[in-house]
Amino acid sequence: MPDKIRVAVLFGGRSCEHEVSVVSARSVVEAIDREKYEVLLVGIDKEGRWLSSGEAQGLLRSPVVQGDDLLPVVLDYPGNGQLVIDGKGSGQSRRQAIDVVFPILHGPYGEDGTVQGLLELAGVAYVGAGVVGSAVGMDKELSRRAFAAEGLPQVEYAVVRRRRWEREPAAVQAELEARFSYPVFIKPVNLGSSVGVVKAHDAAELRAGLSLAAEFDYKIMVEAEAVDCREVEVAVLGNEDPEASIPGEIVPGNEFYDYDAKYVDDNSQLIIPARISPAAVERVRRLAVQAFRSVEAAGLSRVDFFVSRRDESVLVNEINTMPGFTPISMYPKLWEATGVPYRELIDRLITLALERHADRQRTRASL
C-alpha cells in the first residue's frame, strides 16, 4: 500500500476570525478521509504561537488555550521541497515532513498572503490561492480595482485612510455625504466575517462606523447600498479551469448579514438554489469565474453578488479566497447541492493543491 498523504491542517490565527477558523478546521478534521490522509494539526493561538499536534488538538476543542506547557512548533526547511514540523517537549522531538498544508485561516495573518508566502519559501504544496491571489482577495480595495479592470459591475465605493479620518474628520464626512446618500455600509478593508461592519443611516452613525472600522484596519471602505437586491453567493473550485457551483441566496435575519447573523443568531436563511431566473443563474456563475481569475485565485473561493429584484441586474460584492468551511457554511453547501459532497470536496481541494504545486515546480529558478 502506498504511504498516506500527510496533510497539515493549519488553523486559528491572530485575526478577529480566529473562532471561525477553529470551527472550520474542526469540521475538516472530522470529515477528511483517514484511509487516504494522515492528518497533522498545527494551531496558531491568538498571540501568534504555533502549536504542534497535541496542543493544537486542545486549541481545536477550545478557542482559548492557557498554560505554560504548550509545545512550540519549529518549522524547518530541509531543502528538498518539504516542510518539517518539529514539536519539541519533555526531552522528545517529533519531526514530521508535510506533503500539503490546508491553511484554514480567515482574515489577516493567514488569508492575506502572509502564510502563503511562508509556505512558498518552504516549497510546500498548500490549498487555496497563492500570495498574490490571497493578498488581492483579502484587500477589498485592490480586489475592487481588479474587478473594475475586468469590467465587472459593482456598487459605488470610496476608501478612507485611518490617519486622514483621524486628522480631518469633518472634511472626510463632508466628502462622503456629498458622494453618497444614506444609508451606507462601512467596513474594514482587510477583514472578513462582517467584523467591524456598520450600516450607517445618518451622520452620527457614519462617524461611529468610521471610528469602529478604523480599530480593525488602516483602510476603511464606504459603500453605497444595493437597493432591493437579493444577496447571492457562488462557490468556485479549480485552478486554471475553475468551475462555478449553482448559486445560493442569503436572507439575513438582521438588518444585514452581520457577524451575529452569520455565527451567533439562528435567524438567517440559506436558500439553495437562489430564487433567480435561469439567465441570472448563468450570469452570476460566469461572473464568479471572472472574479476568481481577476484576482489570481486558486483552489477555492466564494464570490458574493447583489441581484436586483426589479430587473435582475447583477453587481459583484466581494470575493473570499478562504471561505468558512463547516458543513453548514455556504461554500461546502453550494458544492454539495451541485453534486460534490463535503468529504469529496476536501479531497478535490488537496488534489488541486498538489497539482498546482507540481506545476509551479516546473518554473526555472536559476539560469
Side-chain angles (χ1 to χ4, degrees):
M1 291 290 292
D3 293 336
K4 295 180 182 179
I5 297 172
R6 187 167 286 174
V7 179
V9 176
L10 180 61
F11 66 95
R14 291 169 53 192
S15 86
C16 295
E17 299 178 76
H18 177 102
E19 286 80 8
V20 180
S21 171
V22 169
V23 175
S24 294
R26 185 183 300 131
S27 302
V28 170
V29 170
E30 290 173 353
I32 195 169
D33 185 353
R34 296 304 182 109
E35 295 296 318
K36 187 173 183 179
Y37 302 107
E38 179 182 351
V39 178
L40 304 175
L41 297 177
V42 182
I44 305 175
D45 69 11
K46 290 187 175 182
E47 284 68 50
R49 294 176 296 180
W50 289 50
L51 312 174
S52 59
S53 289
E55 293 66 43
Q57 184 68 50
L59 190 64
L60 203 62
R61 289 192 297 269
S62 171
V64 179
V65 177
Q66 297 177 339
D68 298 325
D69 57 346
L70 300 176
L71 304 185
V73 169
V74 178
L75 301 180
D76 186 21
Y77 311 151
N80 59 354
Q82 287 185 317
L83 185 66
V84 173
I85 291 180
D86 193 351
K88 296 180 178 179
S90 303
Q92 298 179 337
S93 178
R94 302 189 301 275
R95 294 180 61 83
Q96 299 170 297
I98 299 167
D99 297 313
V100 59
V101 176
F102 199 143
I104 311 179
L105 298 165
H106 307 305
Y109 308 110
E111 192 182 349
D112 59 354
T114 50
V115 165
Q116 289 75 17
L118 171 68
L119 299 176
E120 289 285 354
L121 286 172
V124 66
Y126 58 93
V127 172
V131 176
V132 172
S134 298
V136 175
M138 184 81 253
D139 189 304
K140 295 178 180 65
E141 181 184 19
L142 296 183
S143 60
R144 289 294 186 86
R145 292 184 181 183
F147 296 160
E150 292 295 316
L152 302 181
Q154 49 190 314
V155 297
E156 186 179 0
Y157 71 94
V159 174
V160 178
R161 297 308 198 261
R162 176 166 56 197
R163 282 186 176 273
R164 180 158 187 255
W165 165 242
E166 292 171 344
R167 292 172 178 173
E168 306 174 31
V172 170
Q173 181 176 335
E175 290 172 11
L176 293 173
E177 290 181 327
R179 183 170 176 180
F180 299 99
S181 299
Y182 289 110
V184 294
F185 286 90
I186 306 162
K187 56 184 70 173
V189 166
N190 288 284
L191 206 57
S193 295
S194 296
V195 174
V197 177
V198 169
K199 184 177 182 180
H201 302 81
D202 53 36
E205 291 183 353
L206 175 67
R207 291 191 296 270
L210 289 167
S211 295
L212 176 64
E215 295 179 15
F216 294 101
D217 195 20
Y218 75 100
K219 292 198 294 186
I220 308 159
M221 180 167 284
V222 179
E223 296 176 341
E225 181 182 29
V227 180
D228 195 25
C229 289
R230 300 183 188 277
E231 297 189 34
V232 173
E233 301 184 347
V234 177
V236 182
L237 177 68
N239 289 331
E240 297 294 325
D241 300 300
E243 305 172 66
S245 73
I246 64 173
E249 181 180 347
I250 301 290
V251 181
N254 300 338
E255 185 177 8
F256 68 96
Y257 202 38
D258 60 7
Y259 185 92
D260 286 344
K262 289 179 178 179
Y263 305 115
V264 179
D265 303 328
D266 188 23
N267 57 358
S268 298
Q269 298 179 60
L270 307 183
I271 299 173
I272 303 175
R275 298 170 296 179
I276 56 179
S277 70
V281 167
E282 289 309 306
R283 187 167 191 217
V284 295
R285 293 182 74 188
R286 175 173 55 81
L287 291 175
V289 170
Q290 280 187 258
F292 182 89
R293 286 178 167 149
S294 75
V295 302
E296 198 73 16
L300 74 163
S301 286
R302 193 195 69 236
V303 185
D304 303 343
F305 299 91
F306 297 118
V307 179
S308 170
R309 289 187 173 88
R310 179 176 57 84
D311 60 6
E312 288 199 317
S313 58
V314 176
L315 297 170
V316 181
N317 182 21
E318 61 185 45
I319 187 169
N320 190 319
T321 58
M322 185 55 70
F325 214 85
T326 74
I328 62 171
S329 297
M330 192 58 132
Y331 184 87
K333 284 179 71 70
L334 287 172
W335 277 116
E336 184 175 26
T338 308
V340 184
Y342 191 73
R343 175 176 282 197
E344 181 183 336
L345 180 61
I346 296 170
D347 187 62
R348 287 185 64 174
L349 287 170
I350 293 171
T351 299
L352 285 167
L354 293 169
E355 289 176 354
R356 181 171 178 268
H357 179 67
D359 183 65
R360 289 174 70 84
Q361 297 309 300
R362 299 170 53 220
T363 304
R364 289 178 58 177
S366 60
L367 296 177

